[in-house]
Amino acid sequence: MKLPVGEGEWLELAMRCGFGVKAMAAVLEICERMLRRGFRLEVKERLWEWLRRKRMEWARRWLKDGRRVGEVAGRLGYGSVSAFCRAYRRCWARSPGEERERAR
């Protein structure tokens, strides 16, 4: 299978795979190293940095839409709600609950 082209195709793949590198590599039938290398050549950014940024952008969007914190954490591939909350706070300097409240 060929690698996605453009950020839109990469985002579609990442969302389908729960933002997991291992799952993305499996779908493309390549090793994780080749995935990271191909991504860097195409997008000019490290895969893990891009995935982290995209996860937080979608998290913020979904929380502002009123989705529950647990639902957002699950859709973005976090192993636990607390791991998601820590990552969210590190990125945006407020909790996911505070983000939902601000959107109301």
Side-chain angles (χ1 to χ4, degrees), residues 4-92:
V5 177
E7 194 165 335
E9 286 185 20
W10 282 104
L11 180 59
E12 182 182 322
L13 173 65
M15 291 182 85
R16 231 179 36 230
C17 295
F19 290 87
V21 174
K22 186 177 277 191
M24 291 170 69
V27 166
L28 295 173
E29 300 175 343
I30 59 175
C31 69
E32 291 178 39
R33 183 176 177 172
M34 292 302 295
L35 171 65
R36 288 190 299 269
R37 204 179 277 166
F39 182 87
R40 186 132 192 206
L41 289 171
E42 174 68 32
V43 181
K44 311 293 187 246
E45 186 175 359
R46 288 188 175 124
L47 180 58
W48 68 270
E49 292 172 338
W50 183 85
L51 286 171
R52 183 180 57 196
R53 184 169 48 82
K54 290 298 175 186
R55 282 171 116 184
M56 288 297 109
E57 288 172 3
W58 280 96
R60 191 175 214 184
R61 182 177 299 163
W62 287 336
L63 290 167
K64 286 182 176 186
D65 287 346
R67 294 191 185 185
R68 292 184 341 270
V69 174
E71 176 190 355
V72 173
R75 289 191 70 179
L76 294 174
Y78 282 91
S80 69
V81 173
S82 61
F84 167 68
C85 290
R86 282 190 305 272
Y88 196 90
R89 186 177 290 280
R90 252 190 324 271
C91 181
W92 302 110

